Amino acid sequence: MMRAGFAGAAVRRIASTLGFMLLALVVITVIWDLSVRGLGLDSFGTPTPWRVWEWWALEPDSAEHRRVVFDALGVTVRHALSGYVVGSIVGIGLAVVFTSAPRIERASLPTVLFIQTVPILAILPLFILIFGRGDLVTTAIVALTVFFPTLVWVSQGLRSPHPTTVDLFRSLDATRTTVMIRLRFPSAVAGLFVAARLAVPGALFGAFVAEWLATGDGLGYLVVTSMQAVGGFSPLWAAVSATTLLTMIAYVAVEIVEAIALARYDPDQLAAH
Amino acid sequence: MMAAGTRDRFVVGALVVGLIVAWEVASRAGVIDPYVMAEPSQIVAGLWEDRDLYLSNSLATLRVAAIGYVVGQAIALALAFVLSMSSALELVVTKLALVVYCLPTLAIAPILGTIVGLDGTRVAVVAIVVFFPTLLSTTSGLRAVTADQRSLVRSLGGGRVMVLRKIAFRSALPQIFAGLKLGVPGAVLGAIASEWLGASSGLGIFMVNSLAYLQPLRVWGTCVVLVAGTLVLYWLVGLADRKVNGWSEPMAGSTA
């Protein structure tokens, strides 16, 4: 049951994000065009936005060009998605465990913080050594990137119900499991999406970097190969643009799914942002 | 009788040590692949043997990370202070910065390279990575000035800048340092990743080359050096944080 006021707030917020992203896209494209022509970069082969558009849509080979980019995009999405699912499951699972057993949390916290202080992507070669160069390494990298924000924010959400509400549940003879499922989980939905705002772009970036170094497929690798510009840099810029647009679309998608989920589970949070 | 918290940490510590010992034994026995999972004792021996290499590469990475860190944090702080004067401007710039966050920094690096050269690009990558978290946490901290505090300064004849200098800045220091701390792993990551674009020295490129030349001991060794180095740097910033912010209550909304 969606209350009209809250739905309005959510729609306004999504529209505002979309609006700013489009504005930023326009600004960036203009700066891009002006710098290339103003700084004379086109003599180095740096394409203007129009040149990339020609490569994308107007040349006889354009359909083939588009296919290459979309194929790579699909691979990257697959990598990011599998890692996101694994990382979220682990993050949510640990959050539930930590909320149910504070002693385990206290003991594990230093280890968790330690893992997080080390930039995973920096020690990527080690992951390649251990996990090889296939889908396993990308899933591992992305999962590690996604897991910490998810753990932090879902824990926050699980703990947010007021103690008086918990007492109410207990007074009605609810078991701890019931409290967890009926009370804490809905409160954690908001937290999951706060984490998703960081984790989804993070997952895409992690997949991108893992592809760059390890797997030899996907948008990351496409950028690497197109850096050895055989026919000009248009493929490189197209691949970079595709990655950027993909991340933006994913972010907006998160906000939309969040609005739907919160409308169902936690309508008060819809207006709270 | 130890306190419960200390006892739990002791248990975890013992588990970690046990894990390392088990690793050593399993590797020697060939239970786990000794090529991939090199024995800890061999890793340590390798670290000592190649210490010159590790030192020179660490310094190369540290140089880029440090310069980029300072540049990025300075710009973020300056921008945050300017933005705190106008909440409309702050909203616009923050949302635009979000878009920059969506840009794959590593991918635009080759493009930057044609404009500012290789070294400049490496510093720029680090600066971009540390910039956004500090911008967010500083603007959030500066916003925490209460209406009462603002009225007080106004009643004593101060304008917006005075509010900023006298109150907002001090209140925001804990948040600023949170951003500074977060920037450390980011700076290390940016420096390492930028080396992959073609640097001659540095821990990042050293690790990649070691992998390519089939030297897993060096891959592990570099990993150890990186992790230890990042933790040390993080701890150093933490020290500064405690020194500067030791007086502040760790509660939101407290008045000075």
Side-chain angles (χ1 to χ4, degrees):
Chain A
M1 187 177 65
M2 212 150 81
R3 283 169 259 184
F6 294 140
V11 169
R12 271 197 301 281
R13 190 168 28 115
I14 295 174
S16 139
T17 306
L18 255 179
F20 275 111
M21 281 195 172
L22 288 172
L23 174 67
L25 275 178
V26 169
V27 168
I28 289 174
T29 311
V30 167
I31 294 178
W32 172 4
D33 191 55
L34 289 178
S35 350
V36 170
R37 288 191 284 127
L39 297 173
L41 295 175
D42 38 5
S43 58
F44 288 114
T46 311
T48 60
W50 180 251
R51 177 80 199 85
V52 175
W53 176 249
E54 282 180 342
W55 180 86
W56 180 259
L58 305 174
E59 286 178 4
D61 283 337
S62 284
E64 176 64 22
H65 296 164
R66 282 198 299 275
R67 192 188 61 79
V68 168
V69 174
F70 278 126
D71 280 349
L73 200 145
V75 171
T76 304
V77 168
R78 188 168 48 83
H79 287 154
L81 197 59
S82 58
Y84 182 76
V85 167
V86 172
S88 296
I89 292 176
V90 173
I92 295 174
L94 267 179
V96 170
V97 166
F98 282 0
T99 312
S100 315
R103 273 195 68 181
I104 301 184
E105 176 185 26
R106 272 200 305 272
S108 321
L109 207 50
T111 320
V112 172
L113 283 177
F114 173 86
I115 296 177
Q116 209 50 34
T117 310
V118 176
I120 308 292
L121 296 176
I123 56 176
L124 223 150
L126 183 68
F127 280 85
I128 300 177
L129 184 67
I130 301 178
F131 291 110
R133 286 181 187 271
D135 287 345
L136 185 58
V137 73
T138 51
T139 308
I141 301 273
V142 173
L144 269 167
T145 311
V146 166
F147 136 85
F148 193 64
T150 309
L151 172 64
V152 168
W153 288 104
V154 171
S155 293
Q156 175 107 315
L158 285 173
R159 271 173 244 257
S160 62
H162 207 267
T164 355
T165 324
V166 180
D167 287 341
L168 174 65
F169 269 63
R170 292 283 173 76
S171 73
L172 295 170
D173 232 356
T175 61
R176 292 189 63 174
T177 321
T178 315
V179 170
M180 178 63 76
I181 298 179
R182 294 264 175 188
L183 176 62
R184 296 197 188 276
F185 274 14
S187 307
V189 170
L192 181 64
F193 283 98
V194 175
R197 289 216 174 95
L198 284 175
V200 167
L204 284 167
F205 188 61
F208 181 86
V209 176
E211 287 159 6
W212 178 307
L213 272 199
T215 63
D217 58 6
L219 285 170
Y221 192 63
L222 186 60
V223 166
V224 169
T225 48
S226 46
M227 281 205 288
Q228 282 118 42
V230 177
F233 284 107
S234 295
L236 172 64
W237 283 78
V240 172
S241 307
T243 315
T244 308
L245 288 171
L246 176 65
T247 314
M248 287 183 183
I249 292 172
Y251 188 88
V252 174
V254 167
E255 289 212 330
I256 294 176
V257 175
E258 176 187 34
I260 298 172
L262 285 180
R264 170 97 171 72
Y265 290 105
D266 201 351
D268 297 318
Q269 282 284 350
L270 262 187
H273 281 289
Chain B
M1 181 77 126
M2 280 191 268
T6 320
R7 190 165 18 128
D8 290 334
R9 294 224 197 102
F10 187 66
V11 167
V12 171
L15 272 174
V16 171
V17 171
L19 206 64
I20 296 180
V21 170
W23 175 6
E24 174 88 24
V25 169
S27 194
R28 287 198 193 195
V31 171
I32 52 180
D33 183 355
Y35 176 76
V36 166
M37 304 290 288
E39 299 156 32
S41 55
Q42 280 193 320
I43 297 174
V44 172
L47 273 174
W48 178 250
E49 220 178 276
D50 290 325
R51 60 190 180 282
D52 295 329
L53 276 176
Y54 285 118
L55 192 61
S56 59
N57 281 309
S58 302
L59 286 174
T61 305
L62 189 62
R63 219 185 98 244
V64 171
I67 300 176
Y69 181 81
V70 169
V71 169
Q73 301 289 19
I75 297 179
L77 287 173
L79 192 60
F81 282 130
V82 167
L83 289 183
S84 68
M85 307 278 192
S86 154
S87 55
L89 195 59
E90 182 186 313
L91 183 68
V92 171
V93 172
T94 315
K95 293 261 183 172
L96 287 179
L98 177 68
V99 174
V100 175
Y101 182 65
C102 288
L103 279 174
T105 317
L106 201 55
I108 66 176
I111 296 165
L112 278 177
T114 47
I115 309 178
V116 290
L118 188 63
D119 267 340
T121 312
R122 293 174 57 193
V123 168
V125 167
V126 174
I128 292 175
V129 172
V130 306
F131 165 83
F132 194 56
T134 302
L135 182 70
L136 276 190
S137 55
T138 309
T139 45
S140 154
L142 287 173
R143 248 185 275 135
V145 180
T146 66
D148 283 347
Q149 291 165 328
R150 224 184 277 272
S151 326
L152 179 62
V153 175
R154 288 283 169 78
S155 72
L156 293 171
R160 276 205 203 132
V161 178
M162 193 60 80
V163 174
L164 185 64
R165 274 177 49 204
K166 293 288 176 185
I167 299 183
F169 179 59
R170 305 267 154 99
S171 319
L173 277 176
Q175 293 263 53
I176 292 178
F177 269 87
L180 288 180
K181 274 201 282 199
L182 269 180
V184 169
V188 171
L189 176 58
I192 298 283
S194 67
E195 285 165 24
W196 299 337
L197 297 166
S200 53
S201 71
L203 290 173
I205 193 79
F206 185 65
M207 203 196 272
V208 169
N209 287 339
S210 304
L211 182 68
Y213 299 148
L214 307 176
Q215 296 167 320
L217 270 183
R218 286 192 173 169
V219 175
W220 279 102
T222 320
C223 185
V224 170
V225 170
L226 245 179
V227 171
T230 310
L231 286 175
V232 166
L233 289 172
Y234 193 82
W235 174 74
L236 281 173
V237 179
L239 272 185
D241 181 15
R242 266 194 294 279
K243 199 138 207 295
V244 171
N245 294 318
W247 56 267
S248 72
E249 305 260 315
M251 294 186 307
S254 64
T255 50

